[in-house]
Amino acid sequence: MIRFESGEKYGLIYSAYSRAGTVAGYVEIISVERKPEEEVIFKNTSIRDCFIAEVGTITFVVYSDTTNTKKKKAVVFCSRNSESYAEEFSGGVREYEWFSPTKRSYYPISSREGKIE
């Protein structure tokens, strides 16, 4: 599994129309507080043999032109994907974490891609 670690930086990409796909800045991971394994409950997604679970909270800072640099928190999710889905959509990675950096129109940050430095 690819997990978030303190100090990592990830690219922040716009998802909103007109700027979709362009780089908005980056996100720096400050800390990750994970639930104990026995408390993590994986649920089926709408995609066959793919599961998702809330695994804890993440503290991070967004660095971009339109945000301040205050620490923010979000829920961290873990995806467990089928082998066929992983081969098609996630470069063969079956288990990784992700979170939504803000309520604004940015793509979710994934531990499997977008890492910088």
Side-chain angles (χ1 to χ4, degrees), residues 39-53:
E39 291 182 23
V40 175
I41 301 169
F42 279 88
K43 298 177 182 175
N44 280 318
T45 66
S46 58
I47 303 165
R48 186 177 176 192
D49 295 327
C50 293
F51 301 88
I52 190 170

Side-chain angles (χ1 to χ4, degrees), residues 16-73:
Y17 177 71
S18 81
R19 291 194 274 186
T22 58
V23 176
Y26 69 94
V27 171
E28 182 179 4
I29 308 301
I30 304 300
S31 66
V32 184
E33 298 168 19
R34 292 184 177 84
K35 293 180 180 179
E37 291 284 326
E38 59 272 5
E39 291 182 23
V40 175
I41 301 169
F42 279 88
K43 298 177 182 175
N44 280 318
T45 66
S46 58
I47 303 165
R48 186 177 176 192
D49 295 327
C50 293
F51 301 88
I52 190 170
E54 182 181 316
V55 295
T57 58
I58 191 165
T59 304
F60 60 96
V61 176
V62 174
Y63 295 93
S64 76
D65 292 341
T66 58
T67 59
N68 58 33
T69 55
K70 291 181 181 176
K71 290 182 183 177
K72 298 179 183 184
K73 283 194 174 195

